[in-house]
């Protein structure tokens, strides 16, 4: 379980919660990163969805990830994004793929760090930024 904290200036767009992945978003509000796992072939599934893309099974359970991972790749974005109001102001932020200890790679942000200090292979741990709408966004900070 990870901390659910105020976003501290980071944009936190509220996700659209589809019914089939509601367990995922409910978990975020409790500080849990839940991953779908196929009970047929045991694949871990990312992004969350109610079927297995590896074998087609509809038998999927939810497991809690440890919240530990490493940075697989990243970029520092120094420009705003005009089509996303939350990201309009050009404050540098890190967009990254984090490889979870369990295997899946998820697109996320690296927070609570000097953006110049981020490195591929760096150990990171999970933190959730509260959207204030019953969900939270999984992000990572240096471990
Ligand atoms: Zn499967």
């Amino acid at each position: 379980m990870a901390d659910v904290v105020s976003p501290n200036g980071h944009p936190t767009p509220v996700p659209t919660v589809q019914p089939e992945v509601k367990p995922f978003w409910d978990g975020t509000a409790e500080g849990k990163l839940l991953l779908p796992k196929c009970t047929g072939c045991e694949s871990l599934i990312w992004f969350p969805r109610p079927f297995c893309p590896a074998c087609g099974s509809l038998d999927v359970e939810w497991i809690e990830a440890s919240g530990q991972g490493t940075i697989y790749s990243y970029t520092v974005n120094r420009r705003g994004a005009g089509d996303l109001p939350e990201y309009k102001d050009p404050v540098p932020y890190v967009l990254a793929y984090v490889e979870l200890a369990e295997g899946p790679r998820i697109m996320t942000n690296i927070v609570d760090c000097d953006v110049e200090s981020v490195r591929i292979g760096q150990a990171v741990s999970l933190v959730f930024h509260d959207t204030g709408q019953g969900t939270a966004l999984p992000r990572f900070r240096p471990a």
Side-chain angles (χ1 to χ4, degrees):
M1 190 175 297
D3 293 338
V4 180
V5 302
S6 165
N8 192 26
H10 291 280
T12 52
V14 178
T16 300
V17 178
Q18 303 295 340
E20 62 271 22
V21 292
K22 189 173 185 310
F24 173 81
W25 290 110
D26 288 347
T28 65
E30 299 172 3
K32 297 177 183 177
L33 182 63
L34 300 179
L35 302 175
K37 181 180 180 182
C38 177
T39 58
C41 74
E42 302 195 350
S43 294
L44 286 172
I45 300 161
W46 187 262
F47 52 91
R49 64 201 111 165
F51 64 92
C52 177
C55 75
S57 174
L58 297 175
D59 293 323
V60 172
E61 63 182 353
W62 296 89
I63 66 157
E64 184 177 353
S66 66
Q68 303 304 308
T70 56
I71 296 173
Y72 176 76
S73 187
Y74 74 96
T75 188
V76 178
N77 191 331
R78 300 174 194 281
R79 299 182 60 185
D83 55 340
L84 296 172
E86 298 90 343
Y87 288 89
K88 186 176 179 185
D89 296 325
V91 176
Y93 65 92
V94 180
L95 181 65
Y97 271 111
V98 165
E99 185 169 287
L100 301 176
E102 292 79 8
R105 292 178 188 147
I106 76 173
M107 185 174 281
T108 184
N109 297 119
I110 308 301
V111 298
D112 301 336
C113 65
D114 173 357
V115 299
E116 302 302 331
S117 71
V118 172
R119 295 291 177 262
I120 289 172
Q122 185 175 1
V124 289
S125 61
L126 180 63
V127 63
F128 284 98
H129 282 173
D130 190 356
T131 65
Q133 300 288 320
T135 55
L137 303 183
R139 289 171 167 160
F140 288 80
R141 55 189 172 196

